[in-house]
Structures are given as structure tokens and as C-alpha cells.
Amino acid sequence: NYAFISNAIEYMQQAYMEPLTMDKIASHCGFSTSYLHKLFWDNVHMTPNNYLLNIRFAAAKNLLATTTLPMPASVKRVQSGSR
């Protein structure tokens, strides 16, 4: 059920610029990392990591379209937690 992961999605959308880990996201939602992974795969057909990357890519794309920041600066602003 999508309702189970809506808290995780909302958390990722609010905190994507932080160094998020799957452990941190799962803990925030009260799930184990394996259960979080299963919920994402069953409901959105991607892993939580890929979902988070998509959020970060969308944010970088938005920065590139709406600011005068050069591409490296835009990417750096949204990638802080992707390593």
C-alpha cells in the first residue's frame, strides 16, 4: 500500500539535501531497511536509493532552470547526501 511509504517519500523530499542513508530513512519511518526497500519496490517499482536520486536530479534540474548558478554549483547544492 502506497500509504505506508508516503512518510518516507515526504521525508526524502524535505531532507534530500542532507546526507540521508537508507538506515536513517527507515528509522524515521519505523521500518527496517529491508522492509522499506520491499515497500518501495512493490509500490513505485524502484529502490529507495533510486527514488532519492530522482528527487535530487529534479532539484538540480530546477536550480539549473531557475537560477544563474553554473552546473557544478547546482549539482553540488543537491548532492550533499548522495555519496
Side-chain angles (χ1 to χ4, degrees), residues 19-51:
L20 293 178
T21 64
M22 291 308 104
D23 285 336
K24 189 172 183 178
I25 296 167
S27 176
H28 175 81
C29 298
F31 301 139
S32 69
T33 54
S34 60
Y35 188 59
L36 180 68
H37 188 278
K38 180 184 178 354
L39 285 173
F40 264 81
W41 192 257
D42 290 349
N43 289 281
V44 295
H45 309 292
M46 67 176 64
T47 67
N49 278 326
N50 284 345
Y51 197 92

Side-chain angles (χ1 to χ4, degrees), residues 1-10 12-13 31 39-40 42-45 51:
N1 191 327
Y2 186 80
F4 287 115
I5 63 168
S6 62
N7 188 28
I9 289 171
E10 184 178 317
M12 285 190 270
Q13 289 172 338
F31 301 139
L39 285 173
F40 264 81
D42 290 349
N43 289 281
V44 295
H45 309 292
Y51 197 92

